[in-house]
Amino acid sequence: MATSPHPRALITGASSGIGAAFAERLSRDQYDLIIVARRRDRLGALAQKLQNEHHVTVEVLAADLGKHTDLLTVENRITEDSNLEMLINAAGFGGYMPFVSLDPNRAEELISVQVLAVTRLTRAALPGMIARGHGSIINVSSRLAFSGPMASPPLPKRATYAATKAYINAFTQILNDELKDTGVKVQALCPGVVRTEFHTVQGLDPSRMPVDSIMKVEDLVDASLKGLELGEVICIPAMDDPSLLKQLDESQRQMLMHSNVGALAKRYL
């Protein structure tokens, strides 16, 4: 494989939305890219644009991460790339509807794209990054990962979607602990409503949402990369008070500590 003076990043879900915005930003920062999505035509147009504007190399890899053979193709591409500096797991979709209305095959696809693919691609990228002593992985999660206690409405029906994002958060946090002193950084990026086509595809009308609740996708990406520099493992770009996350972490620790006994709680006796 030809060498390049530029670092290289692989981005899934790069044909639109957050993935495309990461591709724009990283190419501007002089990263060579491998962009992955289902829609080859969109990827080709984006690759041409980024190469012309920023004079980087952009490789197109059309793949549907919900299909096991396509996922293995992307996984193998990562494994063979000993110089991959950054992995952005941005592929995903909402599937907002009552769980009993969600087609089982669609539910499985959600889990395949937002759990299985994130897990396998992260596993493929880590050995090379650890061997070099540096690298970064950003897993796009959602603020809905924290929404288990909240009712619908006002939030959308989201059981499978929110559960996959909760997996991403726990996976990334625990992985961060395992990667201490390796030089490799990981982050779970938790956007809210972002100005992309994501919510329109889910049948939601962003125009009915308060304007000040919708974030520019470019701002989201800037915050993610700044958060990576700051060592934020859970990055919530719209949250101004990071102590809220520390409170949540402490609450979870307390719950585990106070349930670490072999006897039933009194209310069950």
Side-chain angles (χ1 to χ4, degrees):
M1 185 179 299
T3 59
S4 168
H6 302 149
R8 185 160 45 249
L10 185 143
I11 306 169
T12 71
S15 62
S16 64
I18 294 172
F22 267 110
E24 292 270 4
R25 167 62 193 270
L26 292 178
S27 64
R28 193 167 68 246
D29 290 348
Q30 292 296 287
Y31 276 76
D32 290 333
L33 302 178
I34 306 165
I35 53 176
V36 180
R38 293 176 300 167
R39 295 172 286 191
R40 184 182 296 276
D41 56 340
R42 283 201 178 192
L43 290 177
L46 178 62
Q48 191 64 50
K49 175 180 181 291
L50 299 181
Q51 289 176 141
N52 291 341
E53 291 180 355
H54 304 298
H55 309 290
V56 294
T57 299
V58 183
E59 176 185 338
V60 167
L61 183 52
D64 181 347
L65 297 180
K67 296 179 179 178
H68 192 65
T69 53
D70 284 16
L71 173 57
L72 291 182
T73 296
V74 180
E75 183 178 335
N76 290 336
R77 179 65 185 85
I78 292 173
T79 302
E80 72 185 20
D81 193 337
S82 60
N83 293 311
L84 188 70
E85 180 65 26
M86 184 175 287
L87 169 64
I88 312 288
N89 285 309
F93 60 95
Y96 295 156
M97 64 182 68
F99 179 67
V100 295
S101 301
L102 182 63
D103 183 276
N105 292 325
R106 191 65 165 164
E108 182 176 341
E109 185 181 5
L110 261 171
I111 295 167
S112 294
V113 173
Q114 296 177 179
V115 174
L116 182 60
V118 169
T119 303
R120 292 194 69 110
L121 299 186
T122 298
R123 176 62 180 82
L126 279 176
M129 292 180 176
I130 292 171
R132 294 193 314 275
H134 55 85
S136 303
I137 299 174
I138 296 174
N139 297 320
V140 176
S141 180
S142 170
R143 288 192 310 124
L144 291 177
F146 305 100
S147 72
M150 298 186 67
S152 173
L155 295 181
K157 307 292 186 183
R158 63 199 182 280
T160 305
Y161 176 82
T164 65
K165 298 306 188 180
Y167 172 89
I168 287 175
N169 283 12
F171 172 69
T172 305
Q173 286 179 298
I174 296 168
L175 188 57
N176 176 69
D177 183 67
E178 293 184 15
L179 294 172
K180 281 180 181 177
D181 304 320
T182 66
V184 179
K185 298 179 180 180
V186 291
Q187 178 192 95
L189 171 62
C190 300
V193 181
V194 183
R195 199 174 301 283
T196 69
E197 64 185 50
F198 177 89
H199 290 88
T200 304
V201 170
Q202 307 312 314
L204 303 177
D205 183 2
S207 67
R208 300 180 64 180
M209 303 175 188
V211 174
D212 60 1
S213 71
I214 304 176
M215 182 172 289
K216 294 179 181 178
V217 68
E218 297 83 3
D219 290 346
L220 178 81
V221 169
D222 289 347
S224 174
L225 295 176
K226 181 63 177 178
L228 201 64
E229 291 179 15
L230 295 173
E232 293 184 356
V233 179
I234 301 293
C235 176
I236 307 177
M239 188 178 71
D240 200 42
D241 183 3
S243 71
L244 294 174
L245 269 176
K246 293 181 180 179
Q247 292 174 34
L248 178 61
D249 290 346
E250 181 58 28
S251 176
Q252 290 178 313
R253 277 192 289 268
Q254 290 294 324
M255 186 275 292
L256 285 172
M257 288 173 59
H258 288 283
S259 60
N260 188 28
V261 295
L264 286 173
K266 292 179 181 178
R267 66 184 179 279
Y268 298 124
L269 299 177

